Amino acid sequence: MAFNATNARTCGRVTAVDGERPSKKARHSNPTSLIRAQAPAPVVDRRREAATIAYIKAHAERKDKLLVFSEQPHVRLRADAMRSLTVPLSQDGPERKISAVVLDASIELIRLRGHHGAGHITRNGRRVLLLGVEEQDWLQYLGSLPRTDKHLTEQDAADMAATAGRYLENDMVFFLVNHKEHFFTAALDFSKGEYQVLDSGNYARYNGARFYEEAMSKIRRGVGRCMKESGRAHVAGWKLRLETALPKQTDESSCGLFALKWMQLWDGEELAWSFSMGDVHAFRTKLAEELVFSEMNKMQDVKEEIESKMAQMHFK
């Protein structure tokens, strides 16, 4: 059966999850050692942020109201999908959780702004590939198939080879992972031969290593099958490493936003700069405005309507 992405998609210290990492005691003894610098001062347009939030709220129940549209990259965000970005912390809970479609659109925005016209993202001289939930669906599909190749279609085999080729053009591949309604990031580091697990909640403290092993099992098998097509079968045996000296989530609804932060800032060794839970709350509001007013969004009428609303708003 061939994979169908449309149908499959649903809307410090280093702890070894299943192996030991080469010792870096001096680097990892201090939790702040995984942070390279302080964050630059953000450029904030409070008026436009507030107007964007008000506009989304006004249309929040509409499943037909398109707010963000792009052909390349392929992005479609409707008002009801963006509603979670407007829910205040006082209503912390399921309605405040960011959906996969919003996270995937946000990753497209990070890609667009990260490659600086070079066609790829580079961090500390290393090429980085960022992938969303749709990639997880594809890899889990491959990982769920029987191990014999006779169950693969010709198209599957061709897509697997293309996937491996795309991964191998980079030094690190970041996967957005959704497991039991919790988002985290896994970074496949080719130079270290490992998957680095970046999570705001460190579920291993409560569920043990099995949480990440279960979440990544089919993904790792899927990656392994793709790499086998390129003569890199040994990748299937690479271990998981849980990075623990990272900022922690203290609410119940921001795991997806933390996952985006890891994708923005992690380089395989450390974060480019530190951030706090308060920064993540601010990021939620800012993300709504950034998605709507991004260069990839072709919905000019929406932008003009929000700008018109700005002129009617009064700020202290």
Side-chain angles (χ1 to χ4, degrees), residues 9-22:
R9 182 171 179 169
T10 58
C11 301
R13 296 187 311 277
V14 176
T15 298
V17 174
D18 57 5
E20 294 299 327
R21 184 176 191 170

Side-chain angles (χ1 to χ4, degrees), residues 291-308:
L291 286 167
V292 171
F293 283 91
S294 65
E295 51 269 53
M296 72 180 179
N297 186 18
K298 305 307 179 187
M299 299 297 292
Q300 294 302 322
D301 59 327
V302 171
K303 298 179 184 180
E304 290 169 4
E305 289 173 18
I306 293 174
E307 288 173 342
S308 175

Side-chain angles (χ1 to χ4, degrees), residues 120-129 166-174 187-194 196 238 267-268:
H120 58 267
I121 300 173
T122 302
R123 294 178 189 162
N124 289 341
R126 307 179 71 201
R127 289 183 59 158
V128 171
L129 178 63
R166 189 160 48 110
Y167 291 179
L168 291 168
E169 289 176 351
N170 298 273
D171 300 295
M172 293 189 71
V173 180
F174 287 71
L188 175 60
D189 190 320
F190 285 104
S191 67
K192 294 186 174 71
E194 65 184 20
Q196 298 161 0
W238 286 0
D267 68 1

Side-chain angles (χ1 to χ4, degrees), residues 250-288:
T250 58
D251 68 0
E252 298 180 3
S253 55
S254 294
C255 56
L257 296 173
F258 273 88
L260 292 178
K261 284 291 189 182
W262 312 140
M263 287 200 164
Q264 284 181 317
L265 304 175
W266 185 252
D267 68 1
E269 292 287 344
E270 58 190 359
L271 295 172
W273 56 75
S274 177
F275 64 90
S276 67
M277 188 73 242
D279 295 326
V280 173
H281 292 321
F283 178 45
R284 178 184 295 268
T285 304
K286 184 173 178 58
L287 184 59

